[in-house]
Amino acid sequence: MALLEVSNVSKQFGGLAAVSNVDFHVNQGEIVSIIGPNGAGKTTIFNLLTGVYDVTEGKIVFDGKEIQNKKVQHIVNAGIARTFQNIRLFKNMRTIENVMVGFHQNTRYNIFDLIFRTPRFRKYEKEAHIKALEVLHSLGFEKYIHTYAGNLPYGEQRKLEIARAIATGAKLLLLDEPAAGMNPQESEELLEFILGLKDQGFTIILIEHDMSVVMNISDRIYVLDHGKMIADGLPEEIASNQMVIEAYLGKSEDDAAD
Amino acid sequence: MDKRDKIIWLVLLAALIVLPAVGLSRYLQRVISLIFIYSMLGLSLNIVTGYMGQISLGHAAFYAIGAYTSGLLSEHFGLNFLLTCVCGIIMAGIIGWLFSIPTTKLSGTYLAIITMGFGEIVKVVIVNWESLTHGTYGLQRIAKPEFFGFQLNTTNNGLYYLCLIFLVIFVLLCIAIERSKLGRSLRAIKDDPLAASLMGVEINHYKRMAFTISTAMAGCCGALYAHLSGYVDANSFNSDVSTLILSIVIFGGMGSIKGMLLGAAVLVSFPEVLRFVAVYRFVVYGLILIVMMVFRTDGILGGPSKRPYVFPRFVKLEKGEVTKNGTAGGK
């Protein structure tokens, strides 16, 4: 059974249909890319999946449970976490604190534990610190632990956003244009990094414009245009799909050759 | 807290404990006690404004509620100060919580206006609800705190030490909040509410919690002030007081505990120190604030720390791990 099953989902903003009758699924352990021109509704889909927007119509089933129109926190608990197109780190907090905010739901103590420093407080704080360090180690972030997130190099900020998402205990990671603004070398590095996440057992949905990234790491690709799914398939099928080329890659011959 | 911080705190505390021994005049004692109370008010507003980034221009309202609750209970029932103080805390906290329910969705200018309005409403209620508050006469001859028949007053330095004890409790409380899930969540909300909620932080819940804690703390300050000065009326809690509290938070440095103490010390004592320039003192005072905000926008002690993150003592790290070779933050 698919880990995520989206069926017939629509989202209307007033009279504007941002997403209409979209179906797709993602299997456990896959990397699935959603591509499409600007304004096609890709980020809207992420917002629907994470509960930022309510769906107008349709069903989203994650891990056997319906999650459409559920609260954001509920969906985080269920195991979906995301990154953002324009980086949204907690810039005035240190790297380690950013990751610890990711552990928020699993740091279970209340205000009285906090004031009186009960054993429960110590237990969970200790756990959060140690797990955060583990996540940072696994990303090779040792030298940045004390750094304020806003002072990190650009590429590292992208990675930290992913680290923070992992910290929530997510099974499914939604990455919104992780390679945006990166040079070829950085996106190469990111590609390795995302493949590493797949090896660790994460399932990933990727929104991306950088075709070298999309074509190289996706197991399957969905193509969105004007809020509708116009094609899906393996990377090589998509690259040669006439409709896709027209809608998206066909604007210039150079792009089509990609 | 790292070692340097600990030393600073201990030296400061020791200095404040022995200070009355040099024989402070009544006037100085009163000024210093006021600095303590305003430090505490700064610390309380710091939770909402410093950590969470929400502006309140009506903090004096909760300060007033604490003062009147405590003062009236003491007047009518002759209850012990600790009891009336706790009632003041609870009353201010409950009203703060109720106030936070409809205002959680607001932020920035909107919240500033609403809180300012609330501050005025409380003032008007105090003036007009004469049967309860004695209107413009105010509460007079509020009893000095008494413990086991021993009355605290300015002659035996009792009030000074009472305020100091409360200040220490407030500082410890704020340190505990800062270095916990609550503190991290509030700062995350300040930096990016959407990202925070997508990390699982229940924004509205935390906003209400921060507001309730903050107003309850302000209520405690009110109770202290009422029994310290012995007289309060609506003008003790006008919008100048709210502005002063907010100025302390911004001037001292948003989110900095030490900053609140420094901010209160500077802003409360300035008008006193500047008495020699007579009528111009508030001009000078305003000028200093402006110059400060131009050249140091983070406040005196605000902004990112240049020192490394301090792990809690109970998190034991293996030798040579990250903390040692990690680079400190800042620029």
Side-chain angles (χ1 to χ4, degrees):
Chain A
M1 200 187 69
L3 179 66
L4 179 78
E5 184 85 56
V6 175
S7 32
N8 202 26
V9 162
S10 301
K11 174 67 188 174
Q12 303 233 344
F13 293 107
L16 179 81
V19 170
S20 40
N21 306 324
V22 163
D23 291 287
F24 68 96
H25 70 274
V26 179
N27 296 318
Q28 175 74 43
E30 267 187 324
I31 299 181
V32 170
S33 291
I34 301 178
I35 62 171
N38 287 327
K42 305 183 295 292
T43 300
T44 306
I45 290 188
F46 272 16
N47 283 333
L48 293 171
L49 290 177
T50 48
V52 176
Y53 297 155
D54 285 349
V55 303
T56 312
E57 193 187 342
K59 217 160 87 170
I60 303 171
V61 179
F62 176 72
D63 215 4
K65 282 176 219 115
E66 286 190 26
I67 56 160
Q68 77 273 13
N69 303 348
K70 285 268 166 58
K71 271 192 186 159
V72 174
Q73 281 79 30
H74 180 95
I75 293 172
V76 175
N77 273 337
I80 301 181
R82 71 176 285 187
T83 66
F84 300 87
Q85 198 171 339
N86 32 359
I87 302 173
R88 306 189 77 137
L89 285 168
F90 307 125
K91 293 197 176 61
N92 298 309
M93 296 173 76
R94 298 172 195 263
T95 301
I96 184 169
E97 291 173 313
N98 267 272
V99 178
M100 281 181 357
V101 174
F103 285 117
H104 179 83
Q105 293 274 359
N106 292 313
T107 315
R108 298 167 201 274
Y109 56 80
N110 58 34
I111 179 97
F112 297 102
D113 293 319
L114 177 170
I115 293 171
F116 298 108
R117 308 229 139 197
T118 60
R120 191 150 62 141
F121 169 84
R122 282 156 190 262
K123 181 184 158 220
Y124 281 111
E125 273 297 294
K126 188 173 174 179
E127 202 178 283
H129 275 89
I130 286 173
K131 279 191 183 163
L133 285 175
E134 276 172 18
V135 171
L136 291 170
H137 274 291
S138 73
L139 301 185
F141 254 62
E142 285 88 348
K143 63 176 173 180
Y144 292 128
I145 283 172
H146 303 282
T147 313
Y148 284 87
N151 296 341
L152 284 174
Y154 185 77
E156 306 299 322
Q157 292 196 8
R158 287 273 177 209
K159 276 196 201 167
L160 179 59
E161 242 199 336
I162 299 174
R164 196 178 62 174
I166 292 172
T168 62
K171 287 176 259 183
L172 175 65
L173 300 175
L174 312 180
L175 309 182
D176 198 344
E177 295 198 28
M182 286 187 172
N183 61 36
Q185 194 213 330
E186 281 174 326
S187 57
E188 180 72 24
E189 236 182 83
L190 183 83
L191 201 142
E192 290 301 317
F193 177 70
I194 295 175
L195 284 172
L197 292 177
K198 187 188 172 182
D199 292 339
Q200 289 175 43
F202 289 104
T203 308
I204 294 163
I205 307 182
L206 193 69
I207 291 178
E208 189 50 71
H209 281 304
D210 187 336
M211 284 303 138
S212 65
V213 173
V214 172
M215 291 300 162
N216 280 315
I217 63 172
S218 310
D219 292 312
R220 287 184 301 118
I221 297 176
Y222 286 96
V223 187
L224 201 65
D225 189 26
H226 295 296
K228 293 194 179 75
M229 283 292 184
I230 57 165
D232 68 273
L234 302 171
E236 47 275 26
E237 293 169 7
I238 295 296
S240 57
N241 184 314
Q242 197 53 42
M243 265 174 79
V244 177
I245 292 168
E246 274 170 23
Y248 183 52
L249 304 170
K251 281 174 190 159
S252 87
E253 285 170 20
D254 291 338
D255 278 350
D258 245 334
Chain B
M1 267 197 295
D2 59 12
K3 266 190 192 144
R4 213 178 82 181
D5 272 354
K6 241 176 228 166
I7 293 169
I8 293 175
W9 281 119
L10 288 176
V11 169
L12 182 67
L13 181 62
L16 290 174
I17 289 173
V18 295
L19 191 58
V22 302
L24 293 173
S25 66
R26 284 180 143 230
Y27 165 71
L28 264 182
Q29 254 196 57
R30 193 178 147 80
V31 171
I32 295 173
S33 303
L34 262 184
I35 290 176
F36 288 166
I37 288 180
Y38 274 94
S39 300
M40 287 153 67
L41 284 165
L43 287 170
S44 84
L45 185 62
N46 188 36
I47 290 175
V48 168
T49 304
Y51 299 148
M52 200 171 61
Q54 302 282 348
I55 286 196
S56 165
L57 279 173
H59 218 56
F62 303 99
Y63 182 37
I65 290 165
Y68 268 86
T69 307
S70 184
L72 285 170
L73 284 174
S74 149
E75 178 187 313
H76 291 292
F77 304 105
L79 295 174
N80 181 279
F81 168 72
L82 278 188
L83 211 58
T84 60
C85 177
V86 169
C87 291
I89 293 171
I90 292 172
M91 186 60 99
I94 288 175
I95 293 177
W97 176 70
L98 289 174
F99 180 78
S100 74
I101 294 173
T103 56
T104 21
K105 295 242 159 110
L106 301 175
S107 59
T109 339
Y110 303 101
L111 188 65
I113 291 169
I114 296 265
T115 48
M116 197 156 104
F118 185 74
E120 291 307 308
I121 290 171
V122 168
K123 219 184 101 179
V124 170
V125 168
I126 289 173
V127 172
N128 290 297
W129 193 354
E130 288 181 4
S131 59
L132 181 74
T133 63
H134 314 311
T136 45
Y137 288 107
L139 296 186
Q140 302 185 0
R141 287 191 218 95
I142 301 167
K144 294 275 177 256
E146 239 184 67
F147 295 101
F148 312 109
F150 179 74
Q151 197 195 49
L152 305 180
N153 52 36
T154 28
T155 327
N156 59 22
N157 296 320
L159 291 170
Y160 173 94
Y161 283 115
L162 184 68
C163 292
L164 183 59
I165 288 168
F166 271 88
L167 179 61
V168 170
I169 294 171
F170 269 45
V171 168
L172 291 175
L173 177 68
C174 288
I175 291 173
I177 290 174
E178 195 172 279
R179 303 186 53 76
S180 74
K181 162 176 144 171
L182 174 60
R184 288 193 295 270
S185 303
L186 297 181
R187 286 161 60 210
I189 291 171
K190 178 183 183 179
D191 270 6
D192 195 324
L194 177 66
S197 77
L198 282 160
M199 291 299 114
V201 178
E202 309 84 344
I203 308 274
N204 291 347
H205 171 76
Y206 276 95
K207 277 188 175 174
R208 285 196 286 267
M209 194 190 268
F211 217 86
T212 310
I213 294 172
S214 171
T215 52
M217 285 165 78
C220 179
C221 301
L224 260 181
Y225 177 75
H227 294 268
L228 172 79
S229 76
Y231 170 81
V232 293
D233 66 8
N235 275 323
S236 323
F237 310 104
N238 61 18
S239 58
D240 291 353
V241 174
S242 295
T243 314
L244 178 57
I245 301 169
L246 187 62
S247 306
I248 288 169
V249 174
I250 294 172
F251 181 85
M254 292 214 244
S256 160
I257 294 173
K258 271 178 284 180
M260 296 310 113
L261 272 61
L262 187 66
V266 172
L267 296 187
V268 174
S269 62
F270 254 25
E272 309 294 330
V273 176
L274 290 174
R275 270 181 202 280
F276 66 92
V277 284
V279 288
Y280 297 108
R281 65 191 172 121
F282 283 101
V283 177
V284 176
Y285 177 75
L287 214 62
I288 291 168
L289 270 184
I290 292 170
V291 169
M292 228 285 311
M293 291 325 296
V294 170
F295 291 105
R296 185 133 178 89
T297 40
D298 277 331
I300 300 181
L301 294 176
S305 159
K306 290 197 172 56
R307 280 177 275 163
Y309 179 79
V310 184
F311 287 87
R313 223 174 315 146
F314 51 82
V315 179
K316 288 216 176 64
L317 300 164
E318 284 161 41
K319 274 220 166 121
E321 213 174 355
V322 295
T323 41
K324 294 281 171 348
N325 48 31
T327 51
K331 277 162 202 164

